[in-house]
Amino acid sequence: SAPGLSARIVGSDLIYQQHRINQVNADILWQQARADARMNISEFSLPGLHGNSLSMSIIGEPGQHDIQIMLDANELQLNASAKGNWQAPVWQGQVEQLTISQPDFGSWVNAKPVILQASKDRFIVEHACFTRESTSLCSAIQLQETDTQITANLKDLPLKELLQPLNVDAEIEGNINGGLKLQGPLNALRGQADFKLEQGLVTVSAADEPLSLVLREGLADLQITPSNLNAELRLKAGDASIHASATTGPLKAGMNAHLKGSLKAEIPQISQISLLVPGLTQVDGRLALLADLKGTLDKPEVQGFLELENASATVPQLGLSLQKAHLIAKNHGTDRVTFEGDVTSGSGKL
C-alpha cells in the first residue's frame, strides 16, 4: 500500500549526433509519497548550451515540494529556486529566486516571486519583474494553442548597450523605454512593440575638442502579423534626421524571410565635421543618404547612394579653398562603388 523506490543512474561519455554529455549522476528516493530526486550533469554540449555543469533537485511531496536548478554554461548561467504544488492536472508554484546571467545582456534578478501555472494545454506566468542595475523588464505570459497573450515592458535600458556590438568609440548617454504586446493563436500571433529614446547624447573625441551630438525623438515601431513584420525607425541626431522602414515575410523557424525596405538620412549642415577631420576648416554643405533594402534577413542587399551638395571647406596647410563641391557615391551590390562629382578651387575646376 506504500511502495518505496531507491535508484541510482550513472552515465559517462554519452553521445547522440552532435550532442554530448561527459558525466551524469542521478539519485532517486521515493518513500511514503515523498520524493528526493537529484541529478548532476558535467561537461555537456547540448542544443544551444555548452558548459561545465547542470544540477537539478526536487524534494518533497506532490502537494508541496522544493525545486532547485543551477546551470553553468558558456551561453547562460542560471540559479533558480521554487516551491510547487501538483494537483492533477495542474502544477502551480512560485519562483522565489531567479538569477540569469548572459554575456551580452548582463545579470538579471527577479524583483519579487514569479507565479507560475502549468498544465497539458496551458502555461501561465503572472506579472514577473526582473532588474539589472537601473533597468527593469516586466512581463506576463499566457501560452495556449488557441489563445496566447504576451505583454512586456522595458524601462531604462542604457542606449550604450544597444550600440555595444557596433564598437562605437564614444561616450553614450540615454535610456530606451518601451513595450510589447502579442495575442492570438500560438501559430498566428499578432501585435505590436514600440521603443522610445526621448533624449540621448553621443560624445566623440576629436582633434581640438570633443564633438557632442544630441539624440532626440527616437522611435522604433514594430507591427507583427502572421504574414509579415513591419518596422519603422525615426531619430534626430543634432541637425540630422534618420528615417528607416522595412517589411519582412513571415518569421518562422527554418524559413529565411524576405526583406524589403528603405533608409533615408539627411544632414543639412556638416560644419561640425571639421572637428573630426584635422586640417579642414570653414566646412559647409549638405549630406544625404538614400537606400533601398531587399534580399533576405540573413543576406540583406543594400542599393543606394550618398550625395554631398553645395559643400565647401578650407585646407590652410595647403592654401586651398574648395567651393561648390558636389559628389554622388553609388553602390553596385557588394562588388563596387562608383563616384561622380566636381569641385571648384580658385579659378580651377575638377
Side-chain angles (χ1 to χ4, degrees), residues 104-105 132 154 157-168 172 174-177 195-197 220 233:
D104 294 328
F105 301 106
R132 190 206 57 192
L154 178 67
L157 176 67
L159 175 63
K160 64 181 179 181
E161 296 189 6
L162 289 183
L163 300 181
Q164 196 171 39
L166 302 178
N167 294 319
V168 178
I172 302 172
N175 294 321
I176 303 292
N177 295 280
F195 300 93
K196 297 179 180 180
L197 172 69
L233 171 67

Side-chain angles (χ1 to χ4, degrees), residues 10 34 63 72 94 135 137 153 159 182 238 246 248 279 291 339:
V10 178
R34 179 178 175 82
D72 180 12
Q94 67 176 29
T135 306
L137 174 63
N153 290 285
L159 175 63
L182 297 172
T248 75
F339 297 89

Side-chain angles (χ1 to χ4, degrees), residues 8-294:
R8 163 165 284 191
I9 300 173
V10 178
S12 61
D13 297 325
L14 305 178
I15 298 175
Y16 175 71
Q17 296 181 350
Q18 72 271 30
H19 312 311
R20 178 185 61 82
I21 295 177
N22 183 55
Q23 189 77 30
V24 58
N25 295 284
D27 291 287
I28 303 172
L29 176 63
W30 176 271
Q31 192 169 13
Q32 296 180 349
R34 179 178 175 82
D36 187 335
R38 306 170 189 266
M39 181 180 68
N40 293 284
I41 296 176
S42 61
E43 296 184 18
F44 55 87
S45 178
L46 301 174
L49 287 176
H50 306 80
N52 299 317
S53 63
L54 170 63
S55 64
M56 303 174 61
S57 68
I58 300 177
I59 302 173
E61 302 174 356
Q64 184 177 353
H65 49 269
D66 297 323
I67 302 172
Q68 183 80 35
I69 301 175
M70 297 182 67
L71 170 67
D72 180 12
N74 299 333
E75 300 84 356
L76 181 71
Q77 291 185 324
L78 181 146
N79 189 345
S81 60
K83 292 185 177 295
N85 173 20
W86 168 256
Q87 299 290 340
V90 178
W91 180 88
Q92 299 182 76
Q94 67 176 29
V95 180
E96 298 181 329
Q97 177 188 353
L98 177 59
T99 302
I100 302 174
S101 298
Q102 204 272 346
D104 294 328
F105 301 106
S107 181
W108 295 78
V109 180
N110 60 315
K112 60 181 182 179
V114 180
I115 308 300
L116 304 177
Q117 186 181 116
S119 63
K120 181 179 66 173
D121 55 5
R122 185 168 65 172
F123 178 75
I124 296 176
V125 179
E126 294 188 12
H127 192 67
C129 283
F130 298 88
T131 61
R132 190 206 57 192
E133 297 179 354
S134 61
T135 306
S136 66
L137 174 63
C138 297
S139 64
I141 301 172
Q142 176 178 293
L143 296 180
Q144 293 185 119
E145 185 174 354
T146 58
D147 182 21
T148 291
Q149 298 183 34
I150 302 173
T151 61
N153 290 285
L154 178 67
K155 183 179 179 182
D156 292 339
L157 176 67
L159 175 63
K160 64 181 179 181
E161 296 189 6
L162 289 183
L163 300 181
Q164 196 171 39
L166 302 178
N167 294 319
V168 178
D169 185 15
E171 295 183 11
I172 302 172
E173 301 176 18
N175 294 321
I176 303 292
N177 295 280
L180 165 73
K181 185 174 183 179
L182 297 172
Q183 59 184 7
L186 192 57
N187 62 349
L189 290 173
R190 63 177 63 244
Q192 67 178 47
D194 61 84
F195 300 93
K196 297 179 180 180
L197 172 69
E198 294 184 359
Q199 189 167 0
L201 183 67
V202 177
T203 303
V204 181
S205 297
D208 298 325
E209 58 181 291
L211 171 61
S212 295
L213 190 64
V214 176
L215 308 178
R216 64 189 191 281
E217 300 178 28
L219 173 64
D221 181 75
L222 303 176
Q223 300 292 329
I224 304 162
T225 71
S227 59
N228 59 41
L229 182 148
N230 296 310
E232 184 174 8
L233 171 67
R234 294 180 182 271
L235 177 65
K236 291 184 177 180
D239 295 330
S241 62
I242 300 171
H243 178 213
S245 62
T247 300
T248 75
L251 302 179
K252 295 182 179 180
M255 291 183 59
N256 190 14
H258 68 266
L259 173 67
K260 182 180 181 181
S262 63
L263 172 64
K264 179 180 180 180
E266 181 180 4
I267 305 177
Q269 180 51 258
I270 63 171
S271 58
Q272 286 186 308
I273 198 172
S274 61
L275 297 175
L276 298 176
V277 183
L280 285 184
T281 62
Q282 300 179 9
V283 177
D284 197 6
R286 172 184 174 271
L287 189 65
L289 169 66
L290 291 174
D292 292 324
L293 308 176
K294 58 182 182 179

